Amino acid sequence: MPRRDWTRAELIVAFNLYCKIPFGRIHIRNPLIIELAKAIGRTPSAVSWKLANFARLDPALKRRNIAGATHGAQAEVNIWNEFNNNWESLAFESERLLENMTGRTPEVVEETQTFPEGGTRETLVRARINQGFFRAAVLAAYGVRCCITGLSIAQLLNASHIVPWVVDVKNRTNPRNGLCLNAIHDRAFDCGLLTVTPDLKIKLSPKLKVKAADTAVQEFFWRFENASISLPRRFAPDETFLRYHNEKIFSSR
């Protein structure tokens, strides 16, 4: 059978799965890989290998000396760069392509995110689909565990934006603009009661000191002061985004 080059649409959807499947679950028995392979007329082995090719480009994996495939095609580099130059657009495009190829309806976020008032239905649908992609990508990067506590109950975890959704449109769906946090620490992070420094240490606001005698505050917050967060397997948080949170959102006094 003659070799068939991967199309741009196939590569975009493969990268979508690379973002959303936890690293240790990228293999030929994964149902999402089998589903995509069937939809595009390829083998699960070919699809899982393509995801491994994307892994070789991930700086977070290189820093941890975790290797993906040892070589790959320029087309994969091009798709990697397309996403990293325009996460907002490519996340939505990849979700729509995945739906068209497999019939799988994209996951959407309905809950706490504040969307622009007066937006069209199309704008709101796009925002919710992109939020669904962002959540899946961030939770997968952290192995579905809170990076502060290690909590692994998905229903209690949030994909927390480091730079808020309303502030940086370009990086709304960039997984490097996210942390996997449990619901309590997610809320504290949003309020500026805690931050993560560029060297990935947890820093607490002095405002929590007034509650230092509260045993719950001690248990949920102060025992984590100056601890390092658990590093993601990919898409490590961008220092620029962390610095923004430190300077613009964190309550330092």
Side-chain angles (χ1 to χ4, degrees), residues 109 111-113 130-140 142 154 156-162 165 172 174-175 177-183 186 189-190:
V109 171
E111 19 107 7
T112 57
Q113 186 58 251
N130 278 356
Q131 277 286 341
F133 171 89
F134 179 75
R135 173 180 167 79
V138 172
L139 265 63
Y142 287 85
L156 300 178
L157 298 177
N158 291 334
S160 304
H161 280 87
I162 302 171
W165 168 274
R172 282 177 173 175
N174 182 350
N177 187 30
L179 296 171
C180 182
L181 296 173
N182 69 78
D186 167 65
F189 188 77
D190 281 349

Side-chain angles (χ1 to χ4, degrees), residues 37-104:
K38 182 178 180 180
I40 63 178
R42 297 185 183 274
T43 65
S45 178
V47 173
S48 62
W49 187 252
K50 186 59 65 176
L51 270 59
N53 284 350
F54 284 122
R56 74 189 167 88
L57 303 172
D58 197 322
L61 294 178
K62 291 178 182 178
R63 281 195 295 271
R64 293 166 63 102
N65 294 316
I66 300 172
T70 55
H71 63 278
Q74 180 61 40
E76 295 147 13
V77 177
N78 295 342
I79 295 300
W80 180 276
N81 290 336
E82 273 199 68
F83 268 85
N84 281 276
N85 289 330
N86 195 345
W87 281 100
E88 178 74 2
S89 176
L90 270 293
F92 183 74
E93 182 180 357
S94 67
E95 288 288 272
R96 283 307 197 198
L97 284 170
L98 185 62
E99 181 180 21
N100 291 338
M101 289 178 182
T102 67
R104 178 181 294 276

Side-chain angles (χ1 to χ4, degrees), residues 18-233:
Y18 170 75
C19 293
K20 297 192 299 185
I21 297 176
F23 191 76
R25 300 179 191 172
I26 295 176
H27 52 68
I28 61 174
R29 296 179 301 281
N30 186 294
L32 295 177
I33 288 176
I34 293 171
E35 179 184 59
L36 178 59
K38 182 178 180 180
I40 63 178
R42 297 185 183 274
T43 65
S45 178
V47 173
S48 62
W49 187 252
K50 186 59 65 176
L51 270 59
N53 284 350
F54 284 122
R56 74 189 167 88
L57 303 172
D58 197 322
L61 294 178
K62 291 178 182 178
R63 281 195 295 271
R64 293 166 63 102
N65 294 316
I66 300 172
T70 55
H71 63 278
Q74 180 61 40
E76 295 147 13
V77 177
N78 295 342
I79 295 300
W80 180 276
N81 290 336
E82 273 199 68
F83 268 85
N84 281 276
N85 289 330
N86 195 345
W87 281 100
E88 178 74 2
S89 176
L90 270 293
F92 183 74
E93 182 180 357
S94 67
E95 288 288 272
R96 283 307 197 198
L97 284 170
L98 185 62
E99 181 180 21
N100 291 338
M101 289 178 182
T102 67
R104 178 181 294 276
T105 302
E107 294 183 21
V108 298
V109 171
E110 303 284 355
E111 19 107 7
T112 57
Q113 186 58 251
T114 301
F115 298 109
E117 292 185 9
T120 64
R121 181 180 182 279
E122 181 181 352
T123 300
L124 295 176
V125 168
R126 183 187 185 99
R128 291 191 172 106
I129 287 174
N130 278 356
Q131 277 286 341
F133 171 89
F134 179 75
R135 173 180 167 79
V138 172
L139 265 63
Y142 287 85
V144 198
R145 288 184 178 275
C146 170
C147 68
I148 292 178
T149 65
L151 181 73
S152 59
I153 301 173
Q155 296 93 323
L156 300 178
L157 298 177
N158 291 334
S160 304
H161 280 87
I162 302 171
V163 178
W165 168 274
V166 297
V167 172
D168 189 345
V169 174
K170 181 180 176 182
N171 287 296
R172 282 177 173 175
T173 54
N174 182 350
R176 297 196 67 191
N177 187 30
L179 296 171
C180 182
L181 296 173
N182 69 78
I184 292 176
H185 288 105
D186 167 65
R187 180 62 178 158
F189 188 77
D190 281 349
C191 292
L193 293 177
L194 70 82
T195 192
V196 174
T197 63
D199 60 351
L200 304 178
K201 301 286 188 182
I202 299 160
K203 186 176 181 180
L204 301 179
S205 169
K207 290 184 177 180
L208 287 172
K209 288 182 178 177
V210 299
K211 300 289 186 180
D214 186 327
T215 55
V217 172
Q218 290 285 345
E219 180 67 18
F220 285 117
F221 294 104
W222 283 106
R223 72 189 184 97
F224 297 109
E225 172 76 333
N226 293 322
S228 297
I229 66 167
S230 298
L231 295 177
R233 297 293 295 272

